[in-house]
Amino acid sequence: MSDKKNIIFMTALDGAPDILDYKEWSIKSWELWSKKNNAEVIVLDQELRDRTVMKPTWQRWHVFEILDNSDIEYDQVALVDIDTMIHPNAPNFFDETDGEYSGVNDDLMVEWVHNSITGYQDMFPGVKFDWTTYMNNGFIVMSPKHKKLCETITDFYYENEDELRMRQHETLKKGSDQTPVNYLVRREGYPITHLSKKWNFTHMHVR
C-alpha cells in the first residue's frame, strides 16, 4: 500500500453564482471522511480561465497538472462535485477501484442520457456505447496512469471549444463535459471500474 495520500479534488470557484450555501457542508463532510481514510481535500477555487468561456466542469480536468505544479504527492484522485456529501463512516472507495478509471452509472434519466449520447455521437465516429454503461462525472476516481487521459480531455475541449459551447448552451443543451468524457474514455481504450450506486446516489429528492 502506498504511503501517499489519496486526493479529493473539488471545484468551487470564488464568486460562482451556482455555488450555494451547501459548499461549506459538502467540503466539511469530505474533510471529516478524509481524516479517517488517509486522504486530503483540495479545492480549486480560482478559475484557470474565464468560467463564462470554459465551464468549471471542464477546468477540473487539469487536476493532475494542478497537483504536480503544486508539488502535491498523491496516489489516487477523486473528482467530486461540490454538491455532494459523504457519510463520515463510509468505507474507503479508493480500495474498490483497482487503480482504474472508476465511477457510477448514471441511469436515472434514461431519455436525457440517451439524447446526450446521441447528440455527441458525430464527434466520436467509431465509438459506440449506450445508456446502460454511461457514467456520471460528479464522482470519478483516477490514478496517475490517467494523466494522459486528462490531457486528452482538455486538448479535446480546446480543439472543439466553439462547437462544445454551442452544444452546451444553444443547441443540444445536454450537459457539458460528462458525455464527451464518456466517449473519450472509451475511445482511448481505458478500462473502467463501475462502482456501486451507493457512491453517487443522485436525484434523491425525486426518489
Side-chain angles (χ1 to χ4, degrees):
M1 179 181 295
S2 173
D3 58 356
K4 298 177 181 177
K5 286 190 175 183
N6 294 311
I7 300 295
I8 307 297
F9 191 88
M10 311 178 80
T11 303
L13 302 183
D14 285 346
D18 55 343
I19 302 301
L20 305 178
D21 291 340
Y22 55 68
K23 165 187 169 181
E24 175 186 358
W25 305 107
S26 173
I27 294 173
K28 283 183 176 180
S29 77
W30 283 103
E31 287 178 337
L32 183 58
W33 181 89
S34 294
K35 287 179 181 178
K36 298 182 177 184
N37 292 279
N38 191 37
E40 180 180 358
V41 175
I42 304 292
V43 180
L44 174 62
D45 57 9
Q46 299 298 316
E47 59 189 17
L48 306 177
R49 196 170 180 206
D50 186 340
R51 60 176 170 265
T52 63
V53 176
M54 185 181 193
K55 290 177 70 70
T57 48
W58 282 104
Q59 295 189 37
R60 63 183 167 184
W61 294 99
H62 284 288
V63 53
F64 287 114
E65 297 172 54
I66 293 169
L67 295 176
D68 290 343
N69 289 338
S70 301
D71 294 323
I72 296 174
E73 295 188 341
Y74 52 88
D75 187 7
Q76 297 184 74
V77 177
L79 294 188
V80 178
D81 275 358
I82 196 62
D83 61 355
T84 61
M85 295 184 72
I86 188 169
H87 193 286
N89 296 327
N92 192 338
F93 55 82
F94 287 109
D95 295 335
E96 302 177 17
T97 67
D98 296 322
E100 304 296 353
Y101 184 90
S102 304
V104 176
N105 285 8
D106 190 340
D107 55 9
L108 183 62
M109 297 189 295
V110 176
E111 180 181 13
W112 188 99
V113 170
H114 171 77
N115 289 339
S116 188
I117 293 172
T118 302
Y120 284 101
Q121 176 67 78
D122 63 301
M123 300 185 78
F124 302 94
V127 183
K128 298 288 185 180
F129 71 102
D130 64 23
W131 64 270
T132 60
T133 60
Y134 181 89
M135 298 177 74
N136 185 289
N137 275 2
F139 177 82
I140 293 292
V141 186
M142 299 178 289
S143 65
K145 64 180 165 184
H146 298 108
K147 289 183 181 184
K148 181 61 178 177
L149 171 62
C150 287
E151 182 180 337
T152 298
I153 291 169
T154 54
D155 284 349
F156 176 82
Y157 177 82
Y158 295 124
E159 291 165 3
N160 299 279
E161 189 169 30
D162 292 339
E163 178 65 25
L164 289 169
R165 283 207 305 268
M166 183 181 69
R167 296 191 192 203
Q168 289 166 187
H169 303 295
E170 300 175 24
T171 56
L172 182 60
K173 297 182 179 180
K174 291 290 185 289
S176 58
D177 66 319
Q178 186 163 275
T179 302
V181 168
N182 267 271
Y183 271 111
L184 288 166
V185 171
R186 290 162 173 83
R187 190 190 75 181
E188 301 302 310
Y190 285 89
I192 296 173
T193 297
H194 293 272
L195 299 175
S196 167
K197 196 72 158 182
K198 295 177 181 178
W199 293 118
N200 194 358
F201 201 68
T202 60
H203 295 276
M204 294 178 68
H205 62 291
V206 299
R207 293 180 183 271

